[in-house]
Amino acid sequence: MAVTSASRSPVRVLIVGAGAVGCFYGSRLHRPDADTGEHVLVSLVCRSNYAAIVERRGVEMRTRAYGDYLFSPEFVFPSIAAASEKGIRWDYVVVTTKALPDLGDDSSVVSPVATPQTSIVLIQNGVGVEEPYRRRFGADVQILSAVTVVSAEQISPGIVVQNRWTRIHVGPFVKGRWDQSGTVIGENGPDHLAAKRFVQMLKDGGVGDAEACTEQQLQVIRWHKIAINGSMNPSAVLSNGTPNAEMTEDDELRHHLRQCMEEVFRGASAVLGIPFPPAGLATADKLLKSIGRNTGARPSMLVDWEHGSRMELEVILGNPIRMARERGVEMPRLEAMYGLLKMAQKRRDEKVRDNKERHLQTKL
Ligand SMILES: NC(=O)c1ccc[n+]([C@@H]2O[C@H](COP(=O)([O-])OP(=O)(O)OC[C@H]3O[C@@H](n4cnc5c(N)ncnc54)[C@H](OP(=O)(O)O)[C@@H]3O)[C@@H](O)[C@H]2O)c1
Ligand SMILES: *[C@@H]1O[C@H](CO)[C@@H](O)[C@H](O)[C@H]1NC(C)=O
């Protein structure tokens, strides 16, 4: 028997970080007029694009997969405080900020809207992104962890372009919440069910290749993505902006990239306690081949560097390095790139600050 949307109270979703990924998935989840599946109402917490989105009465979406449309959220908030004042009980708080633990702890940002009835969904790159949330909220709050492959960009405030195919995996992050012997961590435990429900909501919104998985499977996917992002992104920056495919065609760099990937595989194996990559996931050679075919691709870490923005160094390099090191595995190539890029970023930011101060002084 079909449950009509009118017979159920709507699912309330709050997106924190209304950038490319947040607006893309938010716009697919939002189904104010659903006649099948769940009735989902999505709201946005914005920052720099608040005025632009209010003025446009939504976010202008230009998508490869779903055409062009205006995404008009239920509410658009200028801050978390404003969202919290509304007094809504959010079912899902979806975090789609860039993961920059070196700049601040985003778990403190979402704290005013997180309740024991809320699932926090982290759609971010890297590994170790869940830990600050578990530390802050303890066992009380449900955390879902998601990895996506999507090529999306906010080309100007309130305009989001999605270029290619999408893929998203969602799994529970139960570590530190349920003791490992409990049945609640099983396939029918509440955290798994919340992940499955979220995936169903994405599917209802037309995201065909959304997939629910277990905690371990999700972490495997996160680490496997590090083999790509931990090798390609920093190398693209350090080679002065060489696109991915071109790097794989250079003998010396190809060797370097393969060795980086092997390092990540050894680290992942030690951290997750399984042979890596497990059956079904691409080896270093396969990864290099497919990266070589994808001409023109430039990692977002490179774009961030060129824009003078913060790079996601900690979750893509720092956390994997530290997690592997704790288990006695060193990743010397990644460690070198991490140390060099962290310092390059620091020097760049210092120079910008000095220039601004000098500019200010000459004005006075
Ligand atoms: N874009 C992709 O194709 C893609 C693909 C796979 C994975 N990812 C991952 O997805 C995550 C999000 O990436 P993205 O490309 O969507 O980044 P993005 O376009 O830069 O969006 C991040 C948004 O979060 C906002 N934000 C940051 N801190 C905030 C805070 N404290 N309160 C409110 N808003 C805040 C930013 O606002 P401001 O404009 O004010 O800074 C920005 O609008 C990253 O981890 C990325 O690696 C992205
Ligand atoms: C991670 O790698 C993918 C595939 O090359 C790329 O599209 C994405 O921009 C990379 N992410 C970052 C943070 O550089």
Side-chain angles (χ1 to χ4, degrees):
M1 192 184 70
V3 180
T4 63
S5 58
S7 67
R8 285 218 213 157
S9 57
V11 181
R12 284 304 210 315
V13 178
L14 183 67
I15 308 272
V16 179
V21 169
C23 289
F24 178 71
Y25 284 112
S27 76
R28 300 320 308 166
L29 288 165
H30 188 55
R31 300 175 73 237
D33 308 312
D35 44 358
T36 56
E38 303 218 61
H39 178 202
V40 183
L41 296 177
V42 177
S43 296
L44 296 179
V45 175
C46 296
R47 206 164 60 174
S48 61
N49 57 6
Y50 175 71
I53 291 180
V54 168
E55 196 181 318
R56 282 177 206 286
R57 298 173 181 279
V59 185
E60 195 178 318
M61 303 296 305
R62 300 180 189 162
T63 73
R64 171 80 180 263
Y66 314 95
D68 298 352
Y69 54 94
L70 184 73
F71 163 39
S72 303
E74 183 182 24
F75 299 109
V76 179
F77 300 110
S79 65
I80 280 278
S84 157
E85 276 162 23
K86 203 82 193 173
I88 293 172
R89 209 209 68 197
W90 303 100
D91 298 289
Y92 291 91
V93 169
V94 182
V95 181
T96 49
T97 54
K98 287 262 166 84
L100 297 168
D102 42 336
L103 277 194
D105 181 355
D106 278 353
S107 73
S108 75
V109 174
V110 308
S111 158
V113 289
T115 71
Q117 286 80 42
T118 306
S119 303
I120 296 176
V121 189
L122 305 173
I123 314 183
Q124 293 177 312
N125 229 325
V127 297
V129 294
E130 307 91 350
E131 298 287 346
Y133 292 83
R134 182 59 76 220
R135 263 200 304 280
R136 177 169 306 273
F137 300 115
D140 290 348
V141 167
Q142 199 170 56
I143 299 171
L144 304 181
S145 185
V147 179
T148 181
V149 181
V150 56
S151 163
E153 194 190 344
Q154 183 173 208
I155 56 164
S156 69
I159 304 181
V160 170
V161 175
Q162 177 247 340
N163 298 305
R164 282 183 300 143
W165 48 293
T166 67
R167 185 147 184 72
I168 183 165
H169 288 91
V170 186
F173 182 81
V174 298
K175 197 171 145 205
R177 174 164 155 91
W178 304 115
D179 100 45
Q180 295 295 316
S181 62
T183 51
V184 279
I185 66 167
E187 289 277 326
N188 291 316
D191 301 44
H192 276 90
L193 293 179
K196 285 180 186 161
R197 184 184 184 202
F198 191 77
V199 163
Q200 189 55 50
M201 283 158 47
L202 284 168
K203 289 197 159 150
D204 291 344
V207 182
D209 42 20
E211 210 176 300
C213 46
T214 66
E215 174 166 30
Q216 172 86 351
Q217 284 165 346
L218 200 277
Q219 294 304 319
V220 165
I221 295 168
R222 280 197 177 278
W223 274 93
H224 194 252
K225 203 164 178 235
I226 295 287
I228 306 169
N229 286 130
S231 56
M232 306 307 298
N233 310 13
S235 302
V237 178
L238 289 168
S239 65
N240 198 14
T242 312
N244 284 350
E246 263 174 66
M247 284 195 285
T248 67
E249 283 156 19
D250 179 85
D251 287 346
E252 199 61 45
L253 273 181
R254 192 181 176 89
H255 173 74
H256 159 74
L257 294 168
R258 181 183 288 111
Q259 294 303 315
C260 287
M261 290 173 178
E262 295 294 346
E263 277 183 19
V264 175
F265 289 165
R266 280 194 293 277
S269 177
V271 171
L272 300 171
I274 53 165
F276 211 94
L281 289 186
T283 59
D285 273 328
K286 279 239 172 83
L287 286 178
L288 286 167
K289 246 184 221 137
S290 73
I291 290 164
R293 279 195 300 266
N294 190 3
T295 51
R298 287 157 52 82
S300 65
M301 183 179 279
L302 174 59
V303 176
D304 289 338
W305 169 255
E306 288 175 347
H307 287 173
S309 309
R310 278 290 177 128
M311 298 176 283
E312 292 179 301
L313 289 177
E314 296 304 326
V315 296
I316 290 176
L317 294 173
N319 285 349
I321 288 169
R322 286 183 286 269
M323 287 161 91
R325 193 179 280 153
E326 261 175 40
R327 285 162 182 82
V329 176
E330 292 289 328
M331 303 203 262
R333 284 174 189 266
L334 262 65
E335 287 164 15
M337 295 196 294
Y338 174 52
L340 291 168
L341 278 179
K342 214 159 86 157
M343 192 54 82
Q345 177 172 262
K346 185 163 171 255
R347 301 279 300 156
R348 178 198 70 184
D349 293 350
E350 277 169 5
K351 272 191 193 153
V352 171
R353 208 174 319 125
D354 287 353
N355 283 343
K356 267 193 196 142
E357 272 165 23
R358 218 169 298 135
H359 186 69
L360 219 66
Q361 270 161 9
T362 49
K363 262 189 162 174
L364 287 175

